Amino acid sequence: MTGTVDTNPTAPATNRQGNATRTRLVKTAERLFATHGVDAVSVRAVNAAAGLGPASVNYHFGTKDDLLAAVLLDLGAGVRDRIRADVDALADREHAPTIDELVRAVTDPYRELLSRHRTRGMRWINIVAQMSAQNHPALDAAEQDLRTVLLHQVRRTFPDTDPVRLEQRWATALMVFLQALSRAEEWNHRRGAVPSADDLVHFFDDQVTYLAGGLTRLLT
């Protein structure tokens, strides 16, 4: 009986070390991008803040945009997949979704993210808000075809609205929601205290209500 011989017994340990380094770089970049802005943070700054060599980002990710994509997907893949599941459920129904159902399909996954990862979730939302304002191409790659399938449900809800007007105003409304949510802690801090979990929930609910009401006025 013959068997194969592992010619590289250190491979599992090397892989674990590589995964740990990538995770370290992603979390460091997430913090820096959220605090200082995506455009203001260099690859060199990420490497230095992570306490790693000057070629670490290039070795593990390739480019800054590749690192940015990894930051988006680290927490964002779960948000994207949950929104997609919500939208698919709406698509499977014979009748068109209501505006509240559309809004909840998009916003509930954000609520769940913040309930599980408040600090990192707020950082991630801050980064997404920055990129949405710039219409950054990395968002399209991270979201895959989510915008298209979601917009189809919006058209079902507002069949009489001009398609161009509908797409523009839907995108604008979501951007305003993200911008407001990204500043939730900043605005609550102005009251002189660190916002509690309840403060954040109330703020979130207010923004969801505002989003639904604004869309109703904009698209009907």
Side-chain angles (χ1 to χ4, degrees):
M1 179 177 179
T2 61
T4 59
V5 177
D6 187 353
T7 59
N8 187 13
T10 63
T14 301
N15 289 339
R16 286 195 298 272
Q17 183 178 15
N19 290 336
T21 301
R22 284 189 287 273
T23 298
R24 185 173 180 178
L25 287 167
V26 165
K27 290 186 176 180
T28 300
E30 176 190 280
R31 175 173 53 81
L32 294 178
F33 289 158
T35 303
H36 303 291
V38 172
D39 291 339
V41 177
S42 66
V43 166
R44 178 181 297 180
V46 174
N47 288 325
L52 297 169
S56 293
V57 167
N58 291 334
Y59 176 80
H60 288 283
F61 296 98
T63 67
K64 179 180 174 180
D65 280 348
D66 294 327
L67 174 61
L68 179 57
V71 170
L72 286 175
L73 289 173
D74 190 46
L75 291 179
V79 176
R80 178 198 64 202
D81 292 347
R82 169 61 199 282
I83 294 175
R84 180 58 188 262
D86 289 347
V87 174
D88 287 346
L90 295 177
D92 287 341
R93 298 186 335 192
E94 184 175 349
H95 59 279
T98 67
I99 185 61
D100 284 339
E101 289 170 336
L102 279 174
V103 168
R104 289 294 178 183
V106 176
T107 60
D108 280 354
Y110 285 86
R111 178 197 290 274
E112 292 173 6
L113 171 66
L114 291 175
S115 71
R116 295 193 306 270
H117 307 286
R118 172 171 171 168
T119 299
R120 292 194 63 209
M122 286 302 304
R123 288 174 181 163
W124 180 82
I125 288 169
N126 183 292
I127 295 167
V128 173
Q130 292 179 50
M131 298 176 69
S132 295
Q134 300 170 358
N135 198 26
H136 198 291
L139 278 179
D140 290 330
E143 292 176 351
Q144 297 177 338
D145 64 343
L146 182 58
R147 293 186 186 184
T148 300
V149 296
L150 179 54
L151 189 59
H152 180 68
Q153 296 309 307
V154 179
R155 292 190 181 115
R156 290 181 68 202
T157 302
F158 300 99
D160 299 325
T161 303
D162 174 74
V164 174
R165 177 171 173 264
L166 181 147
E167 183 172 358
Q168 291 173 341
R169 294 195 171 186
W170 171 257
T172 299
L174 291 183
M175 188 185 304
V176 170
F177 170 77
L178 283 171
Q179 294 293 334
L181 193 57
S182 72
R183 301 184 65 185
E185 293 192 326
E186 173 192 338
W187 287 341
N188 278 282
H189 269 302
R190 293 176 183 175
R191 301 189 309 176
V194 175
S196 67
D198 286 343
D199 290 332
L200 192 57
V201 167
H202 292 321
F203 184 87
F204 187 97
D205 288 342
D206 284 345
Q207 298 311 310
V208 170
T209 300
Y210 181 79
L211 174 60
L215 284 169
T216 301
R217 292 291 300 272
L218 285 171
L219 298 178
T220 54

